[in-house]
Amino acid sequence: TADGPNGTLPTALTDFYGNISLENSKSIAWYHQTGDLHIATYDFGAGVMNLAVGRINKEGHYYPEGSNDTEAWKAYNRPYLKFDLNALWEGK
């Protein structure tokens, strides 16, 4: 569709069907602001996983105390860690 990653989440997933990668899934999650607590994407063919984890302050909010950015620490705004799934499965 003409919406691409900027349409609804189901539209974006339909548009990228068969071509969703670890890299473009980051953009889709960020644009749609989905993934407060965590985001995990897997590429079983390549044997890798990306993981982003949200963070909360002592009040349970996803931002540093005193900040006006109430979404700063949501998973979709945080760095991703890349894991080698084969190493994980082997306990390395």
Side-chain angles (χ1 to χ4, degrees), residues 8-26:
T8 65
L9 182 56
T11 299
L13 294 176
T14 298
D15 286 346
F16 285 100
Y17 181 81
N19 194 28
I20 295 175
S21 69
L22 292 179
E23 294 309 311
N24 66 23
S25 66
K26 292 178 189 178

Side-chain angles (χ1 to χ4, degrees), residues 55-67 73:
R55 177 180 172 185
I56 58 173
N57 63 25
K58 67 182 179 183
E59 302 295 324
H61 302 290
Y62 289 100
Y63 54 88
E65 293 184 33
S67 173
W73 286 349

Side-chain angles (χ1 to χ4, degrees), residues 25-52:
S25 66
K26 292 178 189 178
S27 298
I28 293 169
W30 178 82
Y31 182 83
H32 293 283
Q33 298 181 345
T34 185
D36 296 353
L37 181 59
H38 81 283
I39 299 168
T41 53
Y42 302 83
D43 182 339
F44 290 109
V48 293
M49 172 184 80
N50 276 349
L51 176 69

Side-chain angles (χ1 to χ4, degrees), residues 42-49 83-92:
Y42 302 83
D43 182 339
F44 290 109
V48 293
M49 172 184 80
F83 291 93
D84 178 331
L85 294 175
N86 295 319
L88 288 175
W89 303 154
E90 294 170 7
K92 295 181 180 180

